[in-house]
Amino acid sequence: MTERFSAREAIALAGDDFRELPVPMREFKPDGPLSWQGYDDSRRRALTRTGEDESVVCGTAVIGSTRAVLIAFEFGFLGGSLGERTGDRVEAAYTHARAHRLPVVSLVATGGSRMQEGMLALTQLQRVARQSALAREAGLPQIAVLRDPTTGGGWATLGAGADVTLALPGAQVGFAGSRVRPSDADPAAYTAEAQMAAGAVDAVVREEELRETLALWLTLLTAPAAEAEGEVEGEVEVEVESEAASGGEVEPVPPPAALGAPGLPATGWDAVRHARSPERPRAAAYLDAYFSRRAAISGDRCGGSDDGMLCGFGSGPAGRTVAYAAQCGTATRPAGYRTAARLIRLAGRLGFPVLTLVDTPGAANDAQAERQGAGSAIADLFAAVATARTPVTTLVIGEGGSGGALALAAPGNTWATPDSYFSVIAPELAAAILKRPASEVRDTADQLRIRPQDLVELGVIRGIVEHAGR
C-alpha cells in the first residue's frame, strides 16, 4: 500500500503557489438531504481530524511553469466521499478552469459516493462527468493522479475519464472498494500496477518523480498550436485548420530523416530484406532523434495494452508539441490499434499534429487477437485517421504489412525510408495464396511492386526520406 497523503500534502507534492478557490455557498438541511441522524456530527469530527470542511480542496497551483487547476481529495474526510458540497466545489473548479483556459489536475483519493446523502450523492457523478466533458469540448487537458485508494465513482469519472491517468505505486485502484468485493477476489487485481497492465493507467509514477512528470505533461499538452506559415520543405503542403479551442491553424509535421538507411533496393526482395534487417533503426531510435523530450500514454482503456505500439506526445522541431503513434516491428495487437486511435483523437481535441511511424508485418492474427476484436480495433483506427482534426504525417520505417500497417498511414501524406516496403500482403503469403512454390517468392515480391521507388511511382507515398545529414 502506498503512503496516504492528505489533500494538502498531495498538493505540495505536485506544485507550488497554491491558491485556494472560493468555496460555493448555499444552505443545506441539518443532517443532509436524508436527515441522516448524526451526519452533521460526523462532519464536525472529520473537520477536527483533518482541518478540512469537505472531502475535496480546490485551487490553482504552478506545476513546473504551468498554472493549473488542482482538485485534491481528502480521504481523511469521510473517506474522500462525494456529496453535494463536493459536487459544488468540483463544478466551481472546472468553471474556473474554462474561464481562465487552465488545465485540470485531479489528485484523487476517494472511497466513492457518500451514503449519508443517498442518491443525491450518487448523482454528483453525473455532475462531475458533465464538467469533465465540457473541459474536453473546450480543448483543456485533464490529468488524473490516482492516490490510495481510488475507488467507486471518483475512479469512474475524474480518474478513468482523464486524458492522461497517472498513479502512485501500490495505490488501490478499482471501481469496487475493498469492502464490497467478492470475498475471494484477488487484491492484486485492484492495484495501480494491475490497472496499468489492463490498459487503464498510462504510468505508475513514484512520488519523488510526480512533480517532474506532471510538469512535463502540462508543458507538452498546453503548448500553443503552431500557426502554419506556408509550405516547408519535406512537409505537408495542405494547411488544416484546427478545430481545437485555440482556433488557430496547426502546422503539419515534417517526417523524420532516415537514420543510416541503405540505398534504394534493386529488387522487391531486397526491399523486404532491408526492412527485416535487425540492423536497421526501429521506432524508438526515430522518436529519440526527432523529439527533445516525450511522454507516453499506455493502454486502450478497454482492458489491454500493446508494447509494440508506442504512443504519446513529444517536443518536436522548434519546440512545438507533436503527438506520435509508432509501431515497433511486431504484429500489432488490437489494444495497440485502439491506443493509437485514442492518441489521434486526443491530439485532435488539443490541437496538435500527429506523426505516425509504420513498421509491422501486419495485424496479430492469433485466436486471442480475434477474441479481442482485431477487426473492430483496426476499423476504429482507420476512422480516427480519416476524421483526424489535425494533420497526420506518416513515415514507413520498415515493414508495411497489409491493412494492419495501412490503418496507421495518412492518406495522401505518407512517406517512406529507403529500408522499407509497403505491400498488400507479405510476398511469402502472396505466393502461398497464389499456390506458387517457395522458389517464386522473390519474383512475387517484384510483381507486387513494394519498393519505396515503386510506391512513389504508383502514387501510394509522397516521397522517400533521405539519409540523416544529407
Side-chain angles (χ1 to χ4, degrees):
M1 181 183 295
T2 187
E3 183 177 352
R4 287 186 173 174
F5 299 99
S6 70
R8 295 186 190 271
E9 287 172 338
I11 290 169
L13 199 64
D16 299 306
D17 190 26
F18 180 69
R19 303 174 187 177
E20 193 163 352
L21 292 172
V23 175
M25 302 301 293
R26 63 176 169 124
E27 292 294 325
F28 291 93
K29 292 172 57 179
D31 282 331
L34 305 185
S35 298
W36 187 288
Q37 187 175 359
Y39 179 38
D40 284 348
D41 289 338
S42 295
R43 290 181 52 83
R44 281 190 286 269
R45 288 193 295 271
L47 169 61
T48 300
R49 185 169 55 252
T50 65
E52 307 295 347
D53 61 358
E54 192 40 69
S55 62
V56 70
V57 178
C58 300
T60 67
V62 176
I63 303 176
S65 60
T66 306
R67 183 162 288 279
V69 166
L70 260 61
I71 299 172
F73 281 75
E74 176 54 68
F75 187 74
F77 191 100
L78 302 181
S81 56
L82 284 83
E84 288 186 289
R85 292 175 177 86
T86 321
D88 287 350
R89 297 186 187 199
V90 172
E91 184 176 84
Y94 269 100
T95 300
H96 184 87
R98 292 196 305 275
H100 296 273
R101 305 289 313 154
L102 297 177
V104 178
V105 176
S106 299
L107 308 172
V108 188
T110 173
S113 299
R114 194 167 299 170
M115 291 181 297
Q116 296 91 331
E117 295 186 22
M119 277 301 300
L120 287 178
L122 190 65
T123 58
Q124 299 308 305
L125 302 180
Q126 296 171 322
R127 194 176 178 190
V128 171
R130 172 171 169 76
Q131 293 303 314
S132 178
L134 290 173
R136 192 174 298 116
E137 290 176 3
L140 300 178
Q142 299 175 77
I143 301 174
V145 178
L146 311 182
R147 297 151 54 208
D148 185 60
T150 297
T151 61
W155 163 230
T157 52
L158 292 174
D163 297 320
V164 176
T165 303
L166 310 175
L168 296 181
Q172 180 187 173
V173 180
F175 187 66
S178 59
R179 297 184 183 181
V180 297
R181 298 170 193 156
S183 58
D184 60 349
D186 179 6
Y190 301 85
T191 64
E193 291 77 6
Q195 294 290 354
M196 183 174 176
V201 167
D202 291 301
V204 175
V205 182
R206 293 184 299 177
E207 60 188 69
E208 61 268 26
E209 298 173 349
L210 180 61
R211 179 180 293 221
E212 182 181 356
T213 301
L214 284 173
L216 173 58
W217 270 115
L218 289 171
T219 298
L220 291 173
L221 297 185
T222 61
E227 292 188 359
E229 300 176 351
E231 183 179 352
V232 180
E233 183 178 356
E235 297 189 0
V236 186
E237 297 171 0
V238 180
E239 298 172 3
V240 180
E241 185 173 349
S242 169
E243 297 179 27
S246 63
E249 290 186 341
V250 179
E251 210 174 86
V253 184
L259 301 176
L264 292 176
T267 67
W269 189 247
D270 286 340
V272 173
R273 287 193 307 104
H274 291 169
R276 294 177 181 173
S277 170
E279 304 302 319
R280 70 163 175 82
R282 260 47 182 187
Y286 283 92
L287 296 176
D288 288 343
Y290 193 67
F291 295 113
S292 58
R293 54 183 179 169
R294 54 191 172 96
I297 66 169
S298 175
D300 62 359
R301 298 301 185 261
C302 296
S305 60
D306 180 3
D307 292 339
M309 179 76 81
L310 303 179
C311 295
F313 293 82
S315 183
R320 63 177 177 160
T321 296
V322 175
Y324 63 85
Q327 291 168 320
C328 298
T330 57
T332 304
R333 305 205 63 81
Y337 292 114
R338 284 191 284 260
T339 304
R342 172 192 163 208
L343 182 280
I344 291 168
R345 292 186 175 115
L346 175 57
R349 289 201 307 270
L350 300 180
F352 298 119
V354 181
L355 169 68
T356 66
L357 301 181
V358 169
D359 184 11
T360 179
N365 58 7
D366 54 70
Q368 184 181 21
E370 294 299 334
R371 285 193 292 266
Q372 293 170 345
S376 61
I378 294 170
D380 188 45
L381 181 54
F382 269 119
V385 173
T387 59
R389 296 166 62 177
T390 50
V392 180
T393 301
T394 299
L395 181 64
V396 185
I397 63 171
E399 291 195 81
S402 192
L406 188 66
L408 199 61
N413 194 30
T414 294
W415 306 71
T417 66
D419 49 356
S420 68
Y421 78 87
F422 216 151
S423 179
V424 63
I425 193 169
E428 297 93 333
L429 298 180
I433 291 171
L434 296 171
K435 299 182 179 180
R436 294 178 176 178
S439 60
E440 294 186 23
V441 167
R442 297 189 178 194
D443 291 337
T444 302
D446 286 334
Q447 286 182 287
L448 288 169
R449 300 197 65 192
I450 61 179
R451 301 176 303 169
Q453 58 268 43
D454 296 326
L455 300 172
V456 172
E457 185 177 342
L458 291 169
V460 174
I461 66 173
R462 291 192 58 179
I464 301 168
V465 175
E466 295 294 336
H467 298 189
R470 281 195 178 181

